[in-house]
Amino acid sequence: MNTENHSQTAAFLWSIADLLRGDFKQSQYGRIILPFTLLRRMECVLEPTKEAVIRESYAQEGRRIWCVSVCCCARPGSSSSMLPS
């Protein structure tokens, strides 16, 4: 990406950010957008295991389990020994 194209893209993204910010002050924007950025990143990273996590969640319905245990068990090659009995 050349410098001019990069600058135009950055300016476009900032203009959208300003539009979305709405009533929030510029100093408050980071507290709003950062959590959503993190959630989106986690969603993208965990997408390959989403179906397995959902299946395991239904299988464990009614039992108190930690989400981390379900996510760990959904990874390919991991065991289900982390789930509470």
Side-chain angles (χ1 to χ4, degrees), residues 3-75:
T3 306
E4 183 178 328
N5 190 18
H6 178 68
S7 297
Q8 288 176 342
T9 302
F12 175 69
L13 291 174
W14 279 114
S15 70
I16 292 173
D18 289 337
L19 189 69
L20 292 174
R21 184 173 63 225
D23 294 335
F24 293 103
K25 295 177 184 170
Q26 191 170 3
S27 62
Q28 296 174 316
Y29 186 67
R31 288 185 278 169
I32 306 301
I33 199 66
L34 185 60
F36 284 109
T37 303
L38 178 63
L39 287 173
R40 177 64 179 139
R41 176 66 180 145
M42 288 177 61
E43 180 183 28
C44 291
V45 169
L46 296 174
E47 196 276 329
T49 61
K50 181 178 178 179
E51 292 300 320
V53 170
I54 291 171
R55 281 194 304 275
E56 187 64 30
S57 174
Y58 283 122
Q60 299 296 326
E61 199 166 314
R63 296 173 71 189
R64 290 191 66 167
I65 59 172
W66 293 100
C67 178
V68 173
S69 297
V70 173
C71 293
C72 290
C73 293
R75 283 187 296 186

